[in-house]
Structures are given as C-alpha cells and as structure tokens.
Amino acid sequence: MSSAGGLSRRRVAGASSSSASDDAPSPSWTPNGPSSNGTVVTHAGSAFEGGSKVACDPRDLDQVEEDSRYGGRMPRLTIMEEVLLLGLKDKHGYLSFWNDSISYALRGCILIELALRRRIALVKDSNQRRSPLADRLVEVIDDKQTGETILDEALKMMKGQETDRMSINGWVDLLSGETWNVMKIGYQLKQVRERLAKGLVDKGVLRTEKRNFLLFDMATHPVADVRTKESIVTRAVSLLTATTSAVPPSALDKEGTQCRVTRAVCLVCAAYAASVLDNAFGRLTYEDREAAFQRCDEILAEFACWPFGSTTATGTGGGRRREVVKIGMGNTNPSGRESVLGLVQEVKREMSGEEDLSFQLIAGVLEVLSKLDSLL
C-alpha cells in the first residue's frame, strides 16, 4: 500500500520482509564473484574494482604522448583565431573594411602554428644558410593531422609539394593568392577569416547573426564569450607594457600550455603586422600606447632574425618614427632592448637545441610580416 506522500516499494516473490535483507546486497549482484551455481560472473568494461576491462580511446593516449613530446598541451585557440578576435568588433562582429593587412598576416600565422606544432620546419642544408631567412625552403616533418581544418588543409598542400619545395615567402604568397602563376592559384586558402570565425562559433567564443548593410545582408559574428577575448587582450597588454626582463605571468597562457612564451611573442607580432593591435590598447593613455607600440617594434625586430636577439637595427620604419615622436615629447629614456633580450632568453628555453629548424621558420615568417607594409 502506497504512502500519502511518496512511492511504495514493489515486493516480488521470494523477497524477505525484513529491512536488513532489503539493504544487504545479494551475492549475485557483485560485479565479479561466485554465483549460486559456482560460476564466476564477470562484466567486461566494468569500472568497479576487479573489473576485467575499462573502455578508453586510443587517441587520448596519442594526445598525451604528443603533449609530452612537444613540451605541453595545445592551447584552446590557435594564433590565427586570437589575432582574428583582436580585430573583431565585440558587438558588431565584423572586421574593419579598410584593413588590407590581416589576410596576409593570417597566412603567416598558419605557418607559425604549424611550426609550433612541429609539423613543418626549414630544410636542413648548409647551402641554405647563405640565403636570406625568408627565402629558405620549407619541408613537412610530420604530416599527422592537427584537428584544425585550416591547418590540416595547408599541411596537406605542403606535403603534396615536397618534390618542389618552396620558400617561406613563397608559401605566404601562395596561401594568400599573391601569385601570377596560374598553375599555383589552387594553393590559395579561400575565406580564411570566415572559416576561422565559424570555428570560433563552434568553440563557443563567437555567435552568428545576420546584419543588414543597406544593399545586402551579411553574416556577422559578435563575441559571445567576453572572458576569452579579455584574456587575450590582457596577455597582449601585459607583455607590451612590461618594463623588466622577467616575463609577467599575466602575459602568458595557462600553465602547461606548449611554448607559452613563444606564442605570446608571435601573438603580439602578428597582431601588430595585421594592424589589429590598436584594439587592445583602448584603456591606455596616449603615452602608454606609444610606449607599447615601441616595445612591440623592438620585439618584432629581435625575433625577425636568426639567431633570436642578433639584430643590430633599431626597428622598423614605424618604430623609428615613434622614437622621434617620443623625443619630441621630451622622453629620452633608452629603448627597452635589455628587457626584450630577457624575453629572448625565455623563448630559447623552449627551443629544441640551438639550431631548432622549426623556430628558424618562425623567425623567417616574422621577417616577412615585418616587411608587410612595403609588400602591400
């Protein structure tokens, strides 16, 4: 008979009426134990103590092995996605129509990301040392897929071109469609910005909306996860406003991320080349903004050469102009090259030896990005 406020337990034949027997487990219920007829009952795939099998995904073991081999786990967002987020307007969800640099810079970020994931590197050839860094040949050292659609597509094209290898500058041009060779036009990666935005929608960082622009409708991608973008802005600002040789923890990704310092350097340099770094400096004063741009100029100059930190130049044209502006404002403090060299030492700790060919490729890409204004 059921109670007024709850459920009643249904009694079956053979069940004991005592409460003690109801609470005590039956021997036939044990995961691994003898049954009433003497046979042993086992359950394959049981997670109980003594179970014979536990289900697992072999890909998880491969991922753990890959993380240990490459010095940490892969970040949630790629460098291309972080640069795109810095350029997007939070509420409107689209890039500036006047930005001609970001498309070229994103193709360079693809090469940087593949190099950081140890998929591509420069060809190991003593004769290549005589060539400029951006003109050295690129080879695929691991064609295993990364799980990122755009990276895997670029890696597949580079693997198919192994018989006729191309330089860093050549690959950036081909991926951007900047070529007069009609036989190579198929190497262009199309709709990179839109595909990256859709990938960020899948990751929950952006959302998709339709916006009317007078004559046509266009899909826009406003920011849905504000914290993710704020963390990227904080990392960029912390790195570029630091005045000491020590890298501030707030400028780096989460602990355990692969090549945290190198990724932070590549983020600010790529954002600077893509002309989206201004969006991260909204809360800084005019003097702090100029100082941050000057430091980014110095970082790019030190990492756009090999070995890192071996430059003798004072920076790019924009950096020299800002130096004149600082002197005109009465600020004659020396440049922060000493603090940048401290950053160089932290990056070298993440390298695999003094002649890391993947990091040499990164230096070559940064050299190409440092000359982006003259190329466009």
Side-chain angles (χ1 to χ4, degrees):
M1 180 176 180
S2 62
S3 61
L7 299 174
S8 63
R9 175 180 298 177
R10 177 178 294 177
R11 298 186 180 275
V12 297
S16 174
S17 60
S18 63
S19 59
S21 61
D22 289 340
D23 297 333
S26 172
S28 62
W29 295 349
T30 56
N32 294 300
S35 62
S36 58
N37 56 4
T39 61
V40 177
V41 180
T42 59
H43 300 278
S46 173
F48 293 101
E49 183 179 0
S52 58
K53 295 180 181 179
V54 176
C56 68
D57 190 345
R59 291 174 296 181
D60 295 338
L61 301 178
D62 295 339
Q63 187 65 40
V64 172
E65 181 182 355
E66 183 178 354
D67 293 347
S68 62
R69 184 167 67 251
Y70 297 150
R73 64 178 181 274
M74 294 299 126
R76 180 191 176 195
L77 302 181
T78 62
I79 296 177
M80 306 94 66
E81 292 171 333
E82 292 178 340
V83 172
L84 183 73
L85 270 178
L86 287 177
L88 280 176
K89 302 178 185 295
D90 292 2
K91 296 181 180 180
H92 298 90
Y94 58 87
L95 297 164
S96 173
F97 293 113
W98 313 109
N99 192 339
D100 296 329
S101 304
I102 188 169
S103 295
Y104 201 85
L106 288 177
R107 270 70 173 187
C109 292
I110 292 175
L111 297 183
I112 292 176
E113 189 68 42
L114 286 174
L116 286 172
R117 294 173 184 250
R118 302 293 179 174
R119 297 301 194 272
I120 60 176
L122 292 183
V123 174
K124 189 176 182 179
D125 187 0
S126 58
N127 295 327
Q128 288 287 313
R129 294 178 178 273
R130 303 175 183 177
S131 304
L133 195 59
D135 294 336
R136 298 183 187 178
L137 301 181
V138 180
E139 67 174 344
V140 176
I141 57 177
D142 186 1
D143 59 353
K144 181 181 177 181
Q145 291 190 344
T146 63
E148 299 288 342
T149 306
I150 294 181
L151 293 180
D152 292 338
E153 182 179 343
L155 185 63
K156 183 178 179 180
M157 288 192 297
M158 300 178 79
K159 182 65 177 179
Q161 196 66 20
E162 282 290 276
T163 56
D164 186 17
R165 292 169 177 159
M166 290 183 290
S167 64
I168 299 174
N169 209 352
W171 273 117
V172 176
D173 287 341
L174 285 182
L175 295 179
S176 304
E178 300 291 336
T179 178
W180 293 102
N181 190 346
V182 294
M183 303 299 295
K184 302 289 187 180
I185 199 64
Y187 287 93
Q188 180 185 3
L189 284 178
K190 299 179 180 179
Q191 298 181 336
V192 170
R193 287 179 287 183
E194 181 65 22
R195 293 165 64 185
L196 287 174
K198 290 181 178 179
L200 289 171
V201 171
D202 295 338
K203 294 180 180 181
V205 181
L206 302 178
R207 66 179 186 272
T208 302
E209 293 180 356
K210 183 178 290 186
R211 188 178 181 88
N212 181 266
F213 288 90
L214 297 179
L215 299 178
F216 57 92
D217 292 336
M218 186 178 73
T220 60
H221 304 283
V223 176
D225 187 358
V226 180
R227 292 184 178 179
T228 299
K229 181 168 183 178
E230 283 296 327
S231 65
I232 298 173
V233 171
T234 301
R235 282 158 45 201
V237 173
S238 299
L239 184 65
L240 296 178
T241 55
T243 57
T244 61
S245 59
V247 182
S250 57
L252 305 177
D253 210 336
K254 295 180 181 179
E255 186 72 29
T257 303
Q258 182 243 12
C259 295
R260 293 197 304 163
V261 182
T262 307
R263 287 183 176 276
V265 170
C266 293
L267 171 62
V268 296
C269 291
Y272 181 52
S275 301
V276 298
L277 199 55
D278 295 358
N279 300 337
F281 297 157
R283 302 174 184 175
L284 299 181
T285 62
Y286 176 78
E287 291 78 8
D288 292 338
R289 286 167 60 93
E290 289 299 317
F293 276 120
Q294 176 65 26
R295 177 172 168 82
C296 187
D297 220 25
E298 294 168 350
I299 291 175
L300 182 57
E302 297 295 341
F303 285 94
C305 59
W306 186 263
F308 290 143
S310 60
T311 181
T312 56
T314 57
T316 62
R320 287 190 289 270
R321 287 193 298 269
R322 291 190 180 91
E323 188 71 24
V324 173
V325 171
K326 291 176 66 178
I327 295 175
M329 294 170 56
N331 188 352
T332 58
N333 292 332
S335 64
R337 189 170 188 269
E338 291 77 11
S339 62
V340 175
L341 291 180
L343 189 63
V344 170
Q345 296 302 319
E346 293 295 329
V347 171
K348 288 184 177 180
R349 292 190 179 97
E350 298 178 344
M351 293 167 46
S352 300
E354 292 294 329
E355 297 297 327
D356 193 321
L357 295 175
S358 293
F359 275 71
Q360 291 185 38
L361 192 151
I362 294 173
V365 175
L366 293 180
E367 180 183 346
V368 173
L369 296 183
S370 67
K371 301 175 182 178
L372 189 56
D373 290 338
S374 60
L375 292 176
L376 297 178

